[in-house]
Each structure stands twice: as structure tokens, then as C-alpha cells.
Amino acid sequence: MEGKQPLSGSTREQQQAAAGSGGTEETPRLPAGVGDAPAADSEPEAGLSLAAAAGDALCRPLGPTPSQSRFQVDLVAEGSGRAAADEPQKPGGQGGAAGKGSEEAKGRFRVNFVDPSAGDESPAEPGGGLEGGGVSFQNGGDTVLSEGSLHSGGGGGSGGHHHYDTHTNTYYLRTFGHNTMDAVPRIDHYRHTAAELGEKLIRPSLAELHDELDKEPFEDGYANGEEGTPPGEADATYTADIKGIVKFGWIKGVLVRCMLNIWGVMLFIRLSWIVGQAGIALSVLVIAMATVVTTITGMSTSAIATNGFVRGGGAYYLISRSLGPEFGGAIGLIFAFANAVAVAMYVVGFAETVVELLQENDALMLDEMNDIRIIGAITVLILLGISVAGMEWEAKAQITLLVILLLAIGDFIIGTFIPLDSKKVKGFFGYKAEILTENFGPDFRDDETFFSVFAIFFPAATGILAGANISGDLADPQSAIPKGTLLAIVITTLVYIGMAISVGSCVVRDATGNINSTIITELTNCTTAACKFNFDFSSCQKTQCPYGLLNDFQVMSMVSGFAPLISAGIFSATLSSALASLVSAPKIFQALCKDNIYPGLLMFAKGYGKNNEPLRGYILTFLIALGFILIAELNVIAPIISNFFLASYALINFSVFHASLAKSPGWRPAFKYYNMWVSLVGAILCCIVMFVINWWAALLTYVIVLGLYIYVTYKKPDVNWGSSTQALTYLSALQHSVRLTGVEDHVKNFRPQCLVMTGAPNSRPALVHLVHAFTKNVGLMICGHIHMGPRRQAIKELSTDLARYQRWLIKNKMKAFYAPVHAEDLRDGGQYLMQAAGLGRLRPNTLVVGFKKDWKQADMRDVETYINLFHDAFDIQYGVVVIRLKEGLDISHLQGQEELLSSQEKSPSSKDVVVNVDYSKKTETDTSKVFSPPSSEKTPGLHKDSKGPRSPLNLADQRLLDASSQFQKKQGKNTIDVWWLFDDGGLTLLIPYLLTTKKKWKDCKIRVFIGGKINRIDHDRRAMATLLSKFRIDFSDIMVLGDINTKPKKENIAAFEEMVEPFRLHEDDKEQDIADKMKEDEPWRITDNELELYKTKSYRQIRLNELLKEHSSTANVIVMSLPVARKGAVSSALYMAWLEVLSKDLPPILLVRGNHQSVLTFYS
């Protein structure tokens, strides 16, 4: 394999030469599985430090596996080493003072760093030597400064890299006097496999450090099954990819975008009207309230963005990685749609301004509405061109628009200081205390209120995520998003407040614009500010005037020094917001599609070019925007869009609260200025503002989010992002489990908590489904699987099986846990599980096993182990349930293992896999054992065959397959027969009752059979009916069997004796010594004395089987008291014979024995 090739230049001879020059004995190359092997005769103090794996200057380690990573170490003397290291090193390890200074080094060594200029140079040729004093050996780690820092160099023979002498670039590491595979901490060990900033490097696994040296711990040399790229290829591919990618800093990427988006068209067209309606004081309050919401959201965004590496996808990425795919998928879709429609909103705002200018100059093309459509369509087409040209062009356009916008703001500020007489008739007088006083309070007109004015202003504040939305295009999103977003909020808020106070201090609310309103003679009873400046605008109280704060949306243009610049500012504000939304929508949509939460949208995940541009998303956004521009009914759409944005803000705030509440150790934001309760208040405020803006739009938003949430929850996308929902679920489960331990058990709350010995759960589906039928949503169910055989192999299987079979249980909607364990034999494994399975009160109290159908042919030692499990269970106060189907339970040798194969790894081709069975091959272990692991390794002759025909099943196997699925079907109107012969505390009665509470079993009636005396049948029936009614358990019939102790038929007795014959000891026919020795060696054998002693009990089992066939041969399932064998008195073979004869040739039967503590009560 290429991945196993050592780095060029690391030959054995070079290592020996390098080691020799370091003043130590020759150190042979360590094999891949070596742990800590001390170097021969090395000085204890002078450990060999670890220099770095070869990598370029862009954080790209060359090798992903320990076998590829080589360390180079330079010995450095405290005093002289620094100067010596500056000299060029000579090939072949001849390099000067480094070797001589080894005795003075006192265990300190230098790690050399690659110079950026040497990043593209080729690695050393195979013939080239290592540096002087360097020792190369296998190790998976080197030292790095940070994500963007230089990696340690993998040197060449002739100055392939430069040394650094600065304090920051020289690291001294102390090792432990010997070479070691153990890796030092480094960033590349913690990367994702698909990391953008470098290849994942795999640290040596525990097995590589810990296992014996005789075998390779991993056949392929990769830990965790991950594959790597050969060093050369990795280097080449990454270097090629990195060139040409455009990444933005915090100013260009976040600050500029957020400022442009927040200022928007509101600044020039609506702010003056808001001041007119609400007055200066309430206008500042409106702005402050909006700022509170956006600031809290900005801090929450900063907290999430600094809690780990942020990829593309903006708000969607932040929410989905925090709250999980359900909320993320819902918000991602509506947020992308909101941005797409926002493009149309902003473009129509631009087009309306242009059409107004055309109207003033009588230059309309068709009519007002169609002109808006034409100009809007052309504009959005141009914006699409800028976006598709690439992020760099888009960023340049944004900077240009910001400059224009800032000039327009400056133009307005300058204009306020030069009040011209011509503007006074329009209500502009310059800064006057009288106007400030008059405009300080509110003057709501036309049914406007404080909240309606707030609803109009708030959408201006919704641009705070413009920077976060292009998180994938930021050089360092963790730093850029908090700085840029929060600074943008501060700057824009100050400008809004400043301009609101400014315009409110300069312009009156109403003005006629008529020169005739000038007052020549001074009035004495002036009440308005305009009157004090000799202007009479009193006519405006009767008829609406065209000028003033309340009437003229173009007040800013009128006040400004140069009016066209304000128009340019309006164009700039609308176009920049449109451009930001046009870029945001496809980026968010692409991230959503990449995660494949909505499978139908996968085609939009594809990116093009160096920056992975979502061209398909751009086209889709363009079409949506164009559609809404042509509809031109934006007054209806606008509140919905604002609510979509607010829903996103609410969830971002809620994400921070949720993550903090879950107390996950992974929640460690670098941004510390957040508070979980403030974030919760922010989320609630966002929800309130949604209703303030528009109540029906808020309800519609909730319905859409809820609908998408339910859809994604139902589809269950197979992703695991470590969301706070998982963390909170864990915390809640932990807290409740601990709380439960403090509660004493009570008979009313008894639940059958079953440890089911299934082996691999999918090998005995009937067993799993039947137990699940009475434990689902009632009690605990643990599927126990005992792995035997070589420990090393079994331990390796445990972890893979755990994930595989738990997934199988979830896929089959089983509310159960899978618990594998390794043991020397089945009895030990069973004891381990019974003692250790479960947690606190969530601990099994009932052992469920399948009947050992092949016991007569099996090794009797296995039968002894099987029966001993029952004894062990009774010893630790477990109830025992034995389940028998006449066809058998184990289907591991049959076809139909596709489920297993497809659940192992979700490969696209796994659905086509067919498993063929070759019966000629012998199994490694007997797979029909109840507990043996019937995994694919132990199944006879399993062949994966994607094309070959399925092997035909014989009749017995076909029946077995049909029987294995019988409990998955609805059971129909039949009976569950309960043979409650012995009082075990009530478990024999509780299980059938629980079955009838389930949907598939609800039509079944319970019939109860009890033993009694012939002369007291009616009395016994009435007594049992009274007991059942007190227990509130419905039954259809009670039958009292008075003939249980009747002697069974002769042929059945003969059949029983014939069955036990091979297992008898026949001690009367043997000498005493031989008989005793035989009994000691084979304790399962039945003695003549034992057979005679338990003759009555044997006959009872035979007779019960006759009665069962007579009365219950048509029942859906039979639940019967399990006979108990006294430990040490009844041999395993005899007990097994009782169970065999009792349960043979019957419908599915459960032999149940509780632990003789009450599980039913009639007290309230």
C-alpha cells in the first residue's frame, strides 16, 4: 500500500547514521506496533525530542498515519546550540556542533519550523541524508503554534528549510530517555476528516501502544478504519486547492456587510417619518429596543460562532450544529427563502426610487407598475452577474456602495448646518431648540401607534447576520463574526440615533412649501415652532400638507447639501442589501443541501470553482427574486420575511440558552460576554416582536417552522452533530436516573425489566419481538450478547457489534438496549450481565432465554451451563422466562441477513446484497446456541453475492423464517392461555395482561387455567375469579383442571424414558467407584435414584403436555408456570427433559417463574 510507504529519506541507514551522530548507540527502526521501547544505552536525562512530520506552510501534514509520520530531532546545547544550529547542516549527519553538544543539552532539543518560502520545495531525495544530530523514528505528532501556524519541517539534505532563532519559533521538549511512538499534542489529531485547513492526522491508537508486539494491531495500519492519502499526493492536492481561494477578514467580510444591510433604505426614506410620528424621545426608544434585540442576538451569534470551527451556511449552520437537524433544517429553508425574497424587496425599493425620478422628469417608459418590473428585472440580472463573477467582485461592489452611503450620510449632516431660506417654507430651519422641544414628544396620526411605528422600523435592524451568512468565505470566522457584527450594531445604532435627533431638531412636522405662508407681522400668540420663525403652517391642521417630517419621505434629500447624493445613498443602500441577500441565500441553501436533510434538494449542493460557488443556488435565488419582483405585491410579503428573520434570531438565542442549560463539556465559547438567561430573554423578545410586526405573519411562520420540524423529525436524517438537544437529553436522563435511585420500589410500580439472552438481536427476531411486545413503553429491555473465543478478537468485535446491533434495534423500532460482553464461557457471561447490566433502578429483574432446542445433540457441558444460568438467576432474585417456538428461534444460518449487512455500513450498494448459505461448511461454533454470537464471521458459509440467485430454502427453514416474524403481525381474535399453576408473585399473570394492552394483541382474550381438586372445582373457579377481579385483570374464562395428577398415557411415558435413556448413569449396573467417578466427571447424568425420586414430577410434566395439547393447541401464545428444579438435587439432563416434554409440539409457549415476590396488588 502506498499509505504505508515511509517518507523519502528515512531509510534504516540514515536513521542509524543520525542516531550515531547524536552520541547514542545505533537505534534500530521500530516496527509499527511498538509502544515505548527504550533506546539502547541512551542517557536518562537526554531524551530525544520529537521534531515534526513534513508539512507545508499551510497547515498540511503530509501523512495521516503514524507509520507515515517521522520525527526529526536536533540536539541543542543550552549555550552553544543556538549558534551551531544556524550553520547550514551537512548531508549524511555530519553536521557539526549539534552532535558535540549532546552532553550539555540536558534533555533539551529543538523543533525546527518550516519557512513559508520553502513551502513548495520538494522533499528530500531518497539518497539525501538527514540533518546532523537528528534522530528519525515513527511518531504521530509534532508541535504547532495555532491553526494558522507553521508546521514542523520534514527536512531535506541540503538546506530544504531554514532554522529560526526567535523565542517564539524555538520549542524545547523534554522526553523520557527513549524513543516513543506516543504522539505529542497537535492540532491535526483533532481535525475532521474533511477539514478545509489541513489533513487529519491520526495519533497512534491505544492498541498500537498497548498490544503485544507479535502482531500488527491493525491489518491496514490505520486506526479507526480511516484511510489516508500518501504524503506526496496529499501535499500536491492541498497546495493546488488552496491557491485562488478568496477569504475575507472581519472588516470586508462582516463589518461592511452588516453596516450596509442594517442601514438600508430606512435611513433615508422612513427615519424622518418615524421621528414625526413618535417624536425624538420615542424614536430613540424604538431604535434602542430594536438594538437590544439585535445586540442580544449578536452576542448569541458570537457565542455559537466561537464554539468551534465554523463552516459555510451562516445562521443555518449555527442553529443546526447547536439545536440539531430538526430546527436547523426548518430554519435553513425559510431563512434561505427569506433572503431570496428580500432580494426582491430591496430591488423593488430601488426601482421605485428610480421610477419616482423618471416621473419627475416625465420619462416613464410604460406606466409606473410596469416600469418598476422592468427596472427591477434588469437590476437583479446585473446583481446576479456580480455575484456569479465571484466573491471578490461582490466584495469590491460592497465597498464601493459603502463609500457612496457614507458620503450620503456626510452630505445630510453637512446639510443640517446650512439652512437656506428656500428650504424654510418646506419646514427646514436648521438646529433650533424650539423645534427640538416641539418634536420631542409623540404626535401619532393616521391610526399609528408606538408598536406600529416600531414594526415599521424593526426590519431595518435585521441585517446583523449578513456577515455570518458567508461564514464559509471568512478567513477566521471565529474572530470575524463577533468583532464585525457587534461593532456594526454599535456604529449603525449611533448613526440612526444621531440622524433621528438631528432631523428632529431641524425640521418641523408640517410645512406647506408655499412662500405665501411667511408671516410679515410678528404674532404674539405663537404656539408652534414655525410660527416663532415667522411661518404660518396652521392650514396643515385642516388639510394635509406635502412637506414636513410627517408628510414628505424625501426630507433627507431636502435637508442635504447636495440632493442627488442622497438619491445615490438610497440606491447604494438598496443595492447593497439586495446584493448581500443574493449572496447569502444560495450559500445557506447550499450548506442545507450538502447536509442532505431534504433529499430532493441534493442537486443544489454542488459548488463550482475555487470558492465552491453555488451557481445553481444563485440561479434559483434569481428566479425566486424575479418572480416576486414581477408579482410586485411586496407589502403582503414584507411582514412574513421580517418574521422569518426574527424566527432565526429567536432560535439563535434559544440555541445559546439550550447549550448552556445542557452543561455539555463541549460548550466552551471563546466569546465570554453572553448569558444564558439574557439569551432566553432575547429569544422571547424576538417572538414578541414577531406578533408586534404582524400577528398573522407570526402565526404563519410558527406553522411553517413547526411543519418543517415535524417533517425532518419524521425523516430522521442520519447525522450526528453533537447538538445541545443530545446533551440535554443525556443530562435529563442522568438526573432522572439519579432521582429514581432515591425512590424505594413499590409493588404498584413493578415493571418486568428483562435481560434477554438474544445473542445478535437480528438472529432471534421472534424472541426480541415477543419480549418487546410486553416491555415496550412499560419496562426495560436489554439484549445480552456473550462473545466467547479468543479475547483479542472478541474485544475487537464488541465495539463494532455495539454500534451495529443498536442501530438494528433502532431501525426496527425496538425500545431496547444492546449489551455485549466477553467471557470465557456462557455461564460467566450470563453472571456478568445479570450482575452488571443496567443502571440504578433501571436494572433487569427478569432473565429471558430461548429454549435450547438442540440440547439432545449438543455437548452436555453446554446444557449444564444453560441450566446453571437458571440457578444463577434464581440465586440473585431474578425471575426466569423460557420462550419456545416449535420451529425454533435462531435464524442466523438463513437468508434474509440483508438487514444485518445493510446496517453494518450504510453503503449505497448494500440493499442489493444477497446472502447464500453453504451447508457443507462447518461452523466455528454452534450458532444455534442461545447465546453464541451469530455474527457473519460465525455463520456457515455466508457469501455476499450481489448478482447470484438466492439459494432455495427447505421446508423446515421456510417455516422457521415465517415463525420468526409471527409476533410482528396483528394477532387477531384469539386467546392467550395462562396456566397459572403455581403462585410465583404474579409475573405469570402480569406478562399476558401487558401483552393485551398492546395494539397488536388487544383483540386477544385471556383464558386462565389453574390446578384444583375434582370435588372443589366450582369453589376454586370462584376464588380465582374474585382474585382476578380484585387485580382488575379482564379474562374470558377460567378452567380448573382436576385431573393434573392423573397418570399420563403409556406411550408418552415410554417416549420420555426413551428420551432420557442416553443421559442416565445406570449406577446400579456399575461398580461403586466407577459410578462415583463418572458422576463427578459428568454431573449432568441422571441417577437411578433421582429418576425414581422425581418420578411423580416427571409424570406431571408429561400429563401437563397432554392437557396443553387438549385445551390450548389453538392459542396464540401459552404462558405457563416454569417448573423449578432444586439446585444440586435435580440433574441438568432431567430438568431439560422436563422442559422438553412439557413444551413440545405446542404453539409459542412462555415458561414463566417470578422471584416469588408480589408483582400484583389489589390495594390502591
Side-chain angles (χ1 to χ4, degrees), residues 904-972:
Q904 279 173 4
E905 295 299 331
K906 295 166 295 206
S907 59
S909 60
S910 60
K911 290 176 185 170
D912 305 321
V913 170
V914 176
V915 182
N916 291 335
V917 181
D918 183 355
Y919 288 100
S920 62
K921 296 186 182 177
K922 292 290 179 189
T923 48
E924 197 177 296
T925 61
D926 185 1
T927 53
S928 64
K929 282 181 198 167
V930 146
F931 319 99
S932 62
S935 55
S936 53
E937 295 87 5
K938 299 196 175 184
T939 306
L942 270 182
H943 308 303
K944 291 184 190 176
D945 183 3
S946 52
K947 295 179 183 174
R950 294 165 180 265
S951 56
L953 291 173
N954 60 37
L955 191 60
D957 284 343
Q958 188 58 55
R959 282 181 184 157
L960 172 56
L961 212 51
D962 293 342
S964 70
S965 61
Q966 63 181 308
F967 300 121
Q968 298 172 47
K969 303 167 189 160
K970 195 165 174 62
Q971 296 302 303

Side-chain angles (χ1 to χ4, degrees), residues 1010-1026:
I1010 58 170
K1013 294 179 182 174
I1014 293 174
N1015 57 353
R1016 293 183 55 187
I1017 284 179
D1018 285 344
H1019 175 269
D1020 290 343
R1021 182 184 283 118
R1022 280 196 301 275
M1024 179 52 65
T1026 306

Side-chain angles (χ1 to χ4, degrees), residues 860 863-864 866-868 870-871 1056 1060 1063 1079 1082-1087 1089-1098 1101 1123-1139:
M860 286 309 289
V863 178
E864 177 85 359
Y866 176 75
I867 297 301
N868 279 334
F870 295 16
H871 296 313
F1056 175 77
V1060 299
F1063 310 109
K1079 181 64 179 170
E1082 299 175 338
W1084 45 265
R1085 286 202 177 271
I1086 307 166
T1087 63
N1089 184 37
E1090 179 190 359
L1091 200 59
E1092 189 59 39
L1093 189 61
Y1094 292 106
K1095 189 180 202 174
T1096 312
K1097 200 163 184 177
S1098 299
Q1101 313 312 323
V1124 178
R1126 191 172 294 282
K1127 192 164 51 170
V1130 179
S1131 61
S1132 301
L1134 181 60
Y1135 188 37
M1136 204 70 212
W1138 289 351
L1139 299 182

Side-chain angles (χ1 to χ4, degrees), residues 644-655:
F644 280 1
F645 283 124
L646 275 165
S648 309
Y649 295 176
L651 277 179
I652 286 175
N653 285 314
F654 183 70
S655 297

